[in-house]
């Protein structure tokens, strides 16, 4: 809206492309924060409201690295939806188990939930459980068969549509 704050929360499965999504937002001139505990969203909004802050488009990645705070994401988004000057959106990135397994093995990255007791498969399954609550809240993109550049292009289109004044219903 006029002079309001656009806030996009990016969440979803580890390895589904949150980093690529964030860099696409950065390219578009958004103020980006990775791995913000949901409890800090109201503080971020307060900051954005400050005179001269110039934070009118903010993208935040929240994920299971935030631990039990993650469960608060839904509650915080509900509060923000009721706020006049903030337009919150949720972008949920997902991918098939096969795609995620391949990506973790190829990049040799550790899954944030993996530990001595938990295999990669189990970590992915556990993460899906934890994310169940927020999955339905937003715009879902399955990146299983997407090249990273395609995801970035989609995000740019997604916001180009948004700025032309069309209403996106989630």
């Amino acid at each position: 809206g006029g002079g309001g704050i656009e806030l996009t929360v990016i969440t979803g499965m580890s390895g589904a492309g949150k980093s690529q999504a964030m860099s696409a937002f950065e390219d578009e001139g958004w103020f980006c924060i990775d791995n913000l505990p949901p409890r800090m969203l109201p503080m971020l909004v307060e900051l954005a409201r400050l005179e001269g802050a110039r934070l009118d488009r903010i993208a935040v990645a929240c994920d299971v690295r935030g631990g039990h705070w993650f469960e608060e994401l839904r509650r915080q988004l509900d509060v923000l939806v009721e706020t006049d000057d903030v337009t919150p959106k949720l972008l949920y990135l997902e991918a098939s188990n096969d795609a995620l397994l391949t990506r973790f093995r190829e990049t040799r990255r550790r899954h944030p939930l993996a530990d001595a007791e938990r295999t990669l498969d189990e970590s992915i399954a556990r993460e899906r459980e934890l994310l169940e609550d927020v999955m339905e809240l937003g715009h879902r993109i399955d990146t299983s068969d997407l090249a990273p550049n395609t995801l970035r292009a989609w995000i740019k289109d997604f916001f180009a549509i948004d700025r032309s004044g069309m209403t996106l219903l989630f």
Side-chain angles (χ1 to χ4, degrees), residues 25-81:
F25 277 88
E26 260 170 345
D27 291 351
E28 294 291 301
W30 288 59
F31 178 76
C32 296
I33 302 177
D34 192 19
N35 196 20
L36 188 82
R39 195 177 282 182
M40 292 178 79
L41 282 169
M43 284 182 253
L44 182 61
V45 168
E46 285 305 313
L47 193 66
R49 286 187 182 125
L50 293 176
E51 195 64 43
R54 293 204 179 89
L55 297 179
D56 56 340
R57 296 193 304 162
I58 306 170
V60 175
C62 294
D63 60 40
V64 293
R65 287 174 296 176
H68 64 276
W69 283 320
F70 192 73
E71 295 154 24
E72 288 182 23
L73 182 56
R74 188 177 198 130
R75 201 162 47 91
Q76 297 295 351
L77 283 170
D78 287 344
V79 171
L80 289 173
V81 166

Side-chain angles (χ1 to χ4, degrees), residues 10 17-30 32 57 59 91 148-157 159 163:
I10 303 165
K18 287 193 296 292
S19 308
Q20 275 100 341
M22 284 292 271
S23 58
F25 277 88
E26 260 170 345
D27 291 351
E28 294 291 301
W30 288 59
C32 296
R57 296 193 304 162
L91 195 58
N149 297 356
T150 312
L151 176 62
R152 294 174 74 113
W154 275 14
I155 286 171
K156 289 191 172 150
D157 291 348
F159 288 100
R163 281 200 291 276

Side-chain angles (χ1 to χ4, degrees), residues 13-14 95-105 109-130:
M13 298 294 290
S14 301
S96 68
N97 284 7
D98 285 350
L100 295 174
L101 285 166
T102 304
R103 286 172 197 174
F104 274 103
R105 287 179 183 137
R109 274 179 54 215
R110 215 175 134 266
H111 191 284
L113 298 178
D115 56 28
E117 283 81 58
R118 209 182 259 149
T119 66
L120 182 53
D121 288 69
E122 290 166 344
S123 303
I124 291 170
R126 175 74 187 119
E127 187 175 34
R128 268 195 211 288
E129 280 170 31
L130 291 171

